Amino acid sequence: MAVSHREMPLSLDALNDDILIYIFAALSIPDILTLRQVSRRLSLLSRQYSVWHNACKSEILHDDIPFPRTPLTSLTAKDLERQTLRAYKLGANWRSPNTKLYHVTEVATKSETIEEIKFLTHREQNWIVTISRGIWSDLYLRDCDTLQVVAKWSPGKALFNGMVLNTNHDSDAAIAIAVQRNGVMSVEILSLSHHDQTSGVEIQSVAILDTCHKPIALRGDLVALCDHDSETLILDWKTREQCLLKSPETWKDKALHVIFAQGSIFVVRARSTCVFTEPMMVSQGNDLPITLPYAFASFGWVDGVALALRPSTEFHTTSPFQASLSMLVRTKGDDPWRLEDQFKFLTYNATQNSRSHSTSHHDTPAIDNDTGTFPFTAISSLCSPHQGSLRCSDMVLGSYGTAVWVQPADWAMAGLLSENGYLHYIPAAPSKETLVVAIFPGPLNRGSSEACIKVSFENSGFAWSCLDYDEERGLIALGSNFGGVTMFRL
């Protein structure tokens, strides 16, 4: 006897697990979350690693949404689901016309100025590092969620003069920090020891470098040490092999950034930007050849410079944005009473450069700025109000083209003014510094050439002194002049 279709109702429960996994692979992330509510079996299948591995690749990585650089294969199914959902919300928030910024948490510490604050990822664990200064300097390692201190490092009666974190998250060295004791400068390399049984962390000094230069970058075992004029020493802190880069001679040209990218080294200073071919390292004690830049430019006096490498992922698919490195420059005009700052967004393409200058210090570096062959190309600009004193000069640019900075409070005219022989009191107009979150041309902006401020937050507490931004997790951390730490989440 033939059986009609009405007598054989179709049901998802009648399908085997493999077919259901294929169905999940065809669904969007919101649909996966909806389907898991149908039955207990579907709920269990929706939590499989393969479901979220596929969802992460198709809707996060292929769609150019920031995602932590941890290899997907190193994550458990639960962690992969959690990070994929967080990235999906982050991407939707960025691409929304009404981007939201959430004030997550805030802690008040001792009334010591927080001079630096950095997000630290080391061996798949995340922390925040702060440097506080009272009479002496102290380094604190904080929990990312609660902001509570989990470890402290202090070499005694010493002052810190600069700190950098390792871009290689699996390296033995996590931090390089400049230390001044009894008037003597040195750079210490710090490592982190994780104690799984007690969930504790210990900060240890594993090397001391006798140098008066300041650490500007740390990549694996290589630390970039800079003076305040023109020299950049690249040193392997384990083998002590080194090389010397020399920027054009300028006066008090403070080093801001050193970036290693595609066989080149970018050295950004307050009044010069140079690109070097990454030279061979030589053993300590041998004659140290000097490498000169093959490209150079100056943006004049600047209030800040931020650099970011393009996302290094095989799933990056946004064709309009192919630059290997981006730069954001906040220009500093001659008029201290100007009404706005200008932020210039530029990109660099490695294929435009192939020349190398590795010669003695008697030669003159190649300056290509006048010929227009400097490899950075201006893409867009953005103006932001600025009428006050810039206390927090930190500015962070992410790989996907997002950026954060602090807009200072306005200058205010107040006091006693004379008019026709009479004195009148002019009260100060209320004004607050503001956290600014902006987006520039890049993967997250879907190839748009327009830059815009997405969201801002007025500070009602103590004056901010430093900030850092983790684009992949959508986190912003700020330190204050009075020891407070504030966290925001996008």
Side-chain angles (χ1 to χ4, degrees):
M1 179 183 294
V3 179
S4 68
H5 289 292
R6 291 183 179 179
E7 296 174 329
M8 295 183 60
L10 297 177
S11 171
L12 288 175
D13 285 335
L15 303 176
N16 62 40
D17 289 354
D18 291 338
I19 294 177
L20 290 174
I21 292 295
Y22 277 115
I23 292 176
F24 275 115
L27 299 179
S28 67
I29 288 177
D31 289 340
I32 292 174
L33 299 178
T34 300
L35 187 58
R36 72 165 33 166
Q37 301 177 36
V38 173
S39 68
R40 183 174 182 275
R41 182 187 175 207
L42 290 175
S43 177
L44 292 174
L45 285 175
S46 73
R47 303 178 196 278
Q48 295 290 320
Y49 177 87
S50 59
V51 171
W52 292 102
H53 185 272
N54 178 78
C56 183
K57 289 197 301 181
S58 61
E59 296 208 42
I60 304 301
L61 302 181
H62 276 298
D63 201 26
D64 294 321
I65 293 175
F67 191 81
R69 300 178 188 179
T70 305
L72 300 187
T73 54
S74 69
L75 299 173
T76 65
K78 183 177 181 180
D79 287 339
L80 181 57
E81 177 183 344
R82 177 178 55 81
Q83 293 193 23
T84 301
L85 291 176
R86 172 63 195 140
Y88 183 82
K89 294 178 182 178
L90 177 63
N93 191 23
W94 269 116
R95 289 169 176 168
S96 167
N98 299 310
T99 302
K100 292 181 171 55
L101 182 66
Y102 303 95
H103 186 181
V104 181
T105 185
E106 185 169 357
V107 296
T109 61
K110 298 178 181 179
S111 58
E112 300 176 343
T113 298
I114 296 182
E115 295 185 322
E116 292 192 64
I117 188 167
K118 299 290 183 184
F119 286 103
L120 171 63
T121 299
H122 187 251
R123 293 177 178 163
E124 301 182 11
Q125 297 195 41
N126 300 302
W127 291 284
I128 292 176
V129 181
T130 60
I131 289 181
S132 299
R133 176 176 292 193
I135 299 176
W136 308 109
S137 296
D138 297 302
L139 183 148
Y140 296 95
L141 194 66
R142 298 175 181 273
D143 182 273
C144 255
D145 296 321
T146 65
L147 301 181
Q148 298 302 311
V149 175
V150 297
K152 174 184 176 181
W153 185 78
S154 178
K157 298 179 179 180
L159 296 175
F160 301 154
N161 186 33
M163 171 188 70
V164 292
L165 308 184
N166 207 323
T167 56
N168 184 338
H169 300 163
D170 295 320
S171 176
D172 293 336
I175 303 170
I177 187 167
V179 180
Q180 181 180 352
R181 295 188 191 89
N182 301 320
V184 178
M185 294 293 300
S186 64
V187 172
E188 296 206 28
I189 306 297
L190 307 181
S191 70
L192 303 182
S193 300
H194 309 174
H195 304 291
D196 295 333
Q197 295 179 350
T198 62
S199 299
V201 184
E202 185 178 357
I203 305 173
Q204 298 175 326
S205 177
V206 294
I208 298 178
L209 310 177
D210 295 326
T211 177
C212 59
H213 287 14
K214 181 179 178 180
I216 301 298
L218 181 61
R219 186 195 67 172
D221 296 336
L222 296 182
V223 56
L225 305 165
C226 298
D227 65 3
H228 287 287
D229 293 310
S230 62
E231 289 189 357
T232 300
L233 181 68
I234 309 297
L235 175 68
D236 187 312
W237 67 269
K238 284 186 175 179
T239 66
R240 301 304 168 105
E241 291 181 326
Q242 55 191 327
C243 63
L244 183 62
L245 314 178
K246 194 170 182 61
S247 301
E249 292 284 354
T250 52
W251 181 73
K252 296 296 182 183
D253 200 6
K254 177 184 176 181
L256 302 176
H257 300 280
V258 175
I259 297 275
F260 300 85
Q262 300 190 11
S264 295
I265 301 177
F266 297 80
V267 178
V268 179
R269 294 176 175 269
R271 292 191 288 168
S272 66
T273 299
C274 296
V275 189
F276 300 83
T277 296
E278 192 166 344
M280 294 291 294
M281 307 282 284
V282 299
S283 300
Q284 194 173 30
N286 295 342
D287 291 336
L288 190 60
I290 295 177
T291 299
L292 301 177
Y294 66 75
F296 162 84
S298 175
F299 299 100
W301 288 101
V302 298
D303 269 336
V305 178
L307 285 92
L309 293 172
R310 187 180 66 183
S312 56
T313 169
E314 60 179 307
F315 303 107
H316 180 79
T317 58
T318 305
S319 56
F321 186 79
Q322 293 297 327
S324 57
L325 185 140
S326 303
M327 173 187 288
L328 184 63
V329 181
R330 177 168 52 198
T331 58
K332 183 176 182 178
D334 296 330
D335 181 8
W337 299 96
R338 68 194 185 283
L339 301 180
E340 61 186 13
D341 279 336
Q342 184 175 27
F343 294 81
K344 298 179 180 179
F345 182 78
L346 308 99
T347 60
Y348 165 84
N349 195 323
T351 60
Q352 298 176 4
N353 310 278
S354 60
R355 292 189 297 128
S356 170
H357 291 264
S358 181
T359 56
S360 71
H361 66 279
H362 298 292
D363 295 333
T364 302
I367 300 178
D368 295 341
N369 194 39
D370 294 336
T371 64
T373 59
F374 184 70
F376 279 95
T377 303
I379 299 297
S380 66
S381 62
L382 180 68
C383 292
S384 177
H386 177 189
Q387 296 175 257
S389 174
L390 186 64
R391 294 183 177 89
C392 176
S393 61
D394 295 332
M395 179 174 63
V396 183
L397 174 67
S399 300
Y400 290 77
T402 64
V404 298
W405 64 83
V406 172
Q407 172 187 311
D410 294 345
W411 294 110
M413 180 176 66
L416 294 174
L417 298 180
S418 174
E419 181 180 356
N420 299 325
Y422 297 95
L423 293 178
H424 300 275
Y425 178 74
I426 307 297
S431 177
K432 299 176 181 178
E433 61 185 2
T434 306
L435 176 66
V436 177
V437 181
I439 190 166
F440 292 87
L444 198 56
N445 212 9
R446 296 189 183 275
S448 171
S449 61
E450 297 296 325
C452 67
I453 293 176
K454 295 289 290 184
V455 63
S456 59
F457 180 90
E458 283 192 346
N459 179 20
S460 58
F462 298 119
W464 287 321
S465 56
C466 53
L467 73 82
D468 197 19
Y469 169 47
D470 186 334
E471 183 184 54
E472 296 166 350
R473 293 186 293 152
L475 296 176
I476 303 170
L478 297 109
S480 79
N481 287 331
F482 296 92
V485 179
T486 305
M487 178 83 78
F488 292 90
R489 184 188 296 274
L490 285 160

